[in-house]
Every structure is written in structure tokens, then in C-alpha cells.
Amino acid sequence: MSEERLERIENQLIQTVQSLTTMQGQVMQAVTVMQQNITVMQQNMNAMQQNMTAMQNRMDSMEGTLLTTMTGGFNSLQNYIIDLDTDLAQNERKTEDNARNNRRLNQRLMRLENRNDNF
């Protein structure tokens, strides 16, 4: 082989080694970027999980608040209805007492009128 040919092969080998070294650097850089992206993605996943937990806690809290409010409202309405029923029953008793007293007064008045007529 001639010296020129050996020199060309040597130059090609040097260029190939340089290209491989450059590619190795690019691959290492790409791997580093991918590792950073994976780390960021893991951090985002952790943050999203924390947000989901916080949202679940808010939902549980809201559900408890609504349940307490609704139960309190229903209990209040039930007590109001019981009070109205009690008042109505008392008014009915008073009405019955008044009607009974009116009948007695009418009977007494009729007796008194009959006595007056007899005298």
C-alpha cells in the first residue's frame, strides 16, 4: 500500500473517531436531558397527586358541611312543624273549650229566659 492511501485511511479513521466522539457527547447530552425531563415529570406527578389529595379533602369537607347544613335545616324544619302542630292542637282545644262554654252559656241563657217567661 502506498503512503497516500495509508494517510487517507488514517484521516478517515480520525474523522470517524471524531464523529463517534461527537455522537457520544450528543447521546450523553440527550440522556442527561431525558433524565432531567423524567425528574421533572416525577415532580409534576407528585405535585398532581398532592393536588388530588387536597381536592379529595376539600370534597370530603364540603360533603360534611353540606350534610351538616342539610341535617340542621331538616331538623329545624321538623322542629318548626312540631311547634306548629302543637300550636294547632292547643288552638283546637281552645276552640273546643270556647264552643263548649258557648253552648253552656246558651243553655243557661235559655233557662234564664224560660224562668223569666214563667214569672
Side-chain angles (χ1 to χ4, degrees):
M1 266 199 233
S2 72
E3 222 175 278
E4 271 182 29
R5 191 165 182 204
L6 284 175
E7 202 173 299
R8 264 188 285 147
I9 292 174
E10 188 180 347
N11 285 337
Q12 287 176 346
L13 282 174
I14 290 172
Q15 286 178 352
T16 303
V17 169
Q18 287 175 344
S19 293
L20 287 174
T21 304
T22 302
M23 288 173 64
Q24 182 182 12
Q26 291 172 344
V27 167
M28 293 296 287
Q29 199 174 22
V31 168
T32 302
V33 169
M34 287 175 71
Q35 287 173 337
Q36 290 171 347
N37 287 342
I38 288 171
T39 302
V40 168
M41 195 182 334
Q42 286 173 337
Q43 290 170 346
N44 288 341
M45 292 288 286
N46 289 338
M48 188 167 58
Q49 189 175 16
Q50 290 172 351
N51 288 343
M52 290 297 289
T53 301
M55 189 166 55
Q56 181 64 45
N57 290 339
R58 286 185 191 132
M59 291 295 289
D60 291 345
S61 176
M62 187 174 69
E63 182 181 349
T65 301
L66 285 174
L67 184 62
T68 301
T69 302
M70 289 172 60
T71 302
F74 286 134
N75 288 340
S76 176
L77 285 173
Q78 188 176 19
N79 290 336
Y80 181 70
I81 289 170
I82 289 170
D83 290 346
L84 285 177
D85 284 344
T86 303
D87 289 346
L88 183 62
Q90 288 174 351
N91 285 338
E92 285 176 358
R93 273 186 243 120
K94 286 179 184 177
T95 302
E96 290 171 2
D97 290 346
N98 286 340
R100 197 175 313 112
N101 288 335
N102 279 341
R103 283 192 300 273
R104 283 183 193 156
L105 285 174
N106 283 337
Q107 289 172 353
R108 205 180 229 180
L109 184 62
M110 287 175 63
R111 273 188 255 133
L112 286 173
E113 285 177 354
N114 283 339
R115 280 188 195 168
N116 263 348
D117 287 342
N118 289 336
F119 285 116

Coordinates of all heavy atoms in Angstrom, one line a residue, residues 10 19 21 23-26 28 30 34 36 38 40 43 51 54 63 66 68 71 79 87 98 100 109-110 119:
E10 N -6.0 6.7 7.5 CA -5.7 7.2 8.8 C -6.6 8.5 9.0 O -7.2 8.6 10.1 CB -4.2 7.6 8.9 CG -3.8 8.0 10.4 CD -2.4 8.3 10.5 OE1 -1.6 8.1 9.5 OE2 -2.0 8.9 11.5
S19 N -16.2 11.8 14.8 CA -17.6 11.7 14.6 C -18.2 10.9 15.7 O -19.3 11.3 16.3 CB -18.0 11.1 13.3 OG -17.6 12.0 12.2
T21 N -17.0 10.4 18.7 CA -16.8 11.1 19.9 C -17.9 12.2 20.0 O -18.5 12.4 21.1 CB -15.4 11.7 20.0 OG1 -14.4 10.7 19.9 CG2 -15.2 12.5 21.3
M23 N -20.8 12.2 18.5 CA -22.1 11.5 18.6 C -22.3 11.0 20.1 O -23.3 11.1 20.7 CB -22.2 10.3 17.7 CG -22.4 10.7 16.2 SD -22.4 9.4 15.0 CE -23.8 8.4 15.5
Q24 N -21.2 10.5 20.7 CA -21.2 10.0 22.0 C -21.6 11.2 23.0 O -22.4 11.1 23.9 CB -19.9 9.4 22.4 CG -19.9 8.9 23.9 CD -18.5 8.3 24.3 OE1 -17.5 8.6 23.6 NE2 -18.4 7.6 25.4
G25 N -21.0 12.4 22.7 CA -21.3 13.5 23.5 C -22.7 13.9 23.3 O -23.4 14.3 24.3
Q26 N -23.2 13.9 22.1 CA -24.6 14.2 21.9 C -25.6 13.2 22.5 O -26.6 13.6 23.1 CB -24.9 14.3 20.3 CG -24.2 15.4 19.7 CD -24.3 15.4 18.1 OE1 -24.7 14.3 17.6 NE2 -24.0 16.5 17.5
M28 N -24.9 11.4 25.2 CA -24.8 11.7 26.6 C -25.6 12.9 27.0 O -26.3 12.9 28.0 CB -23.3 11.9 27.1 CG -22.5 10.6 26.9 SD -23.0 9.3 28.0 CE -22.5 9.9 29.5
A30 N -28.2 14.0 25.4 CA -29.6 13.6 25.2 C -30.1 12.8 26.4 O -31.2 13.0 26.9 CB -29.8 12.9 23.9
M34 N -33.0 13.8 29.0 CA -34.1 12.8 29.3 C -34.2 12.6 30.8 O -35.3 12.5 31.3 CB -33.9 11.5 28.5 CG -34.1 11.6 27.0 SD -33.7 10.1 26.1 CE -35.0 9.1 26.7
Q36 N -33.3 14.6 33.2 CA -33.9 15.8 33.8 C -35.4 15.9 33.5 O -36.2 16.2 34.4 CB -33.2 17.1 33.2 CG -31.8 17.2 33.6 CD -31.1 18.3 32.9 OE1 -31.5 18.8 31.9 NE2 -29.9 18.7 33.4
I38 N -37.4 13.3 33.0 CA -38.0 12.3 33.9 C -38.2 12.8 35.3 O -39.2 12.6 36.0 CB -37.2 11.0 33.8 CG1 -37.4 10.3 32.5 CG2 -37.6 10.0 34.9 CD1 -36.5 9.1 32.2
V40 N -38.4 16.0 36.3 CA -39.4 17.0 36.3 C -40.8 16.3 36.2 O -41.7 16.7 36.9 CB -39.2 18.0 35.1 CG1 -40.4 18.9 34.9 CG2 -38.0 18.8 35.4
Q43 N -41.7 15.0 39.5 CA -42.1 16.1 40.4 C -43.5 16.5 40.1 O -44.3 16.8 41.0 CB -41.1 17.2 40.3 CG -39.7 17.0 40.9 CD -38.7 18.0 40.6 OE1 -38.9 18.9 39.7 NE2 -37.6 18.0 41.3
N51 N -52.2 17.6 44.8 CA -53.4 18.4 44.5 C -54.6 17.5 44.5 O -55.7 18.0 45.0 CB -53.2 19.0 43.1 CG -52.2 20.1 43.1 OD1 -51.9 20.7 44.1 ND2 -51.7 20.4 41.9
A54 N -55.5 17.0 48.1 CA -56.1 18.2 48.7 C -57.5 18.4 48.1 O -58.4 18.8 48.9 CB -55.2 19.4 48.3
E63 N -68.6 17.9 51.5 CA -69.7 16.9 51.7 C -70.2 16.9 53.2 O -71.4 16.9 53.5 CB -69.2 15.5 51.4 CG -70.2 14.4 51.5 CD -69.7 13.1 51.1 OE1 -68.6 13.0 50.6 OE2 -70.4 12.1 51.4
L66 N -72.1 20.2 53.8 CA -73.5 20.1 53.2 C -74.3 19.2 54.0 O -75.5 19.5 54.2 CB -73.4 19.6 51.7 CG -72.9 20.6 50.7 CD1 -72.7 19.9 49.3 CD2 -73.9 21.7 50.6
T68 N -74.1 18.4 57.2 CA -74.4 19.1 58.4 C -75.5 20.2 58.2 O -76.4 20.3 59.0 CB -73.1 19.8 59.0 OG1 -72.2 18.7 59.3 CG2 -73.4 20.5 60.3
T71 N -78.8 18.5 57.4 CA -79.4 17.9 58.6 C -79.9 18.9 59.5 O -81.0 18.8 60.0 CB -78.3 17.0 59.2 OG1 -77.8 16.0 58.3 CG2 -78.9 16.3 60.5
N79 N -88.6 20.6 63.7 CA -89.0 21.3 65.0 C -90.1 22.3 64.8 O -91.0 22.5 65.6 CB -87.8 21.9 65.7 CG -86.8 20.8 66.2 OD1 -87.2 19.7 66.4 ND2 -85.5 21.1 66.3
D87 N -99.1 24.1 68.4 CA -99.9 25.3 68.5 C -101.3 25.0 67.9 O -102.3 25.5 68.5 CB -99.3 26.4 67.7 CG -98.0 27.0 68.4 OD1 -97.8 26.7 69.6 OD2 -97.3 27.7 67.7
N98 N -114.0 26.9 73.9 CA -114.9 28.0 73.7 C -116.3 27.6 73.2 O -117.3 28.2 73.6 CB -114.3 28.9 72.6 CG -113.1 29.7 73.2 OD1 -113.0 29.9 74.4 ND2 -112.2 30.2 72.3
R100 N -117.8 24.7 73.8 CA -118.4 24.1 75.0 C -119.0 25.2 75.9 O -120.1 25.2 76.3 CB -117.5 23.2 75.7 CG -118.1 22.2 76.7 CD -117.1 21.2 77.3 NE -116.2 20.6 76.4 CZ -114.9 20.8 76.3 NH1 -114.3 21.7 77.1 NH2 -114.1 20.2 75.4
L109 N -128.6 30.8 79.2 CA -129.4 31.9 78.8 C -130.8 31.5 78.5 O -131.8 32.2 78.9 CB -128.8 32.6 77.6 CG -129.4 33.8 77.0 CD1 -129.4 34.9 78.0 CD2 -128.8 34.2 75.7
M110 N -131.0 30.3 77.9 CA -132.3 29.8 77.6 C -133.1 29.5 78.8 O -134.2 29.8 79.0 CB -132.2 28.5 76.7 CG -131.8 28.9 75.2 SD -131.5 27.5 74.2 CE -133.1 26.8 74.2
F119 N -142.3 33.7 85.1 CA -142.7 34.7 86.1 C -143.5 35.7 85.6 O -144.0 36.4 85.1 CB -141.4 35.3 86.7 CG -140.7 34.4 87.6 CD1 -139.4 34.0 87.4 CD2 -141.3 33.9 88.8 CE1 -138.7 33.1 88.2 CE2 -140.6 33.1 89.7 CZ -139.3 32.7 89.4

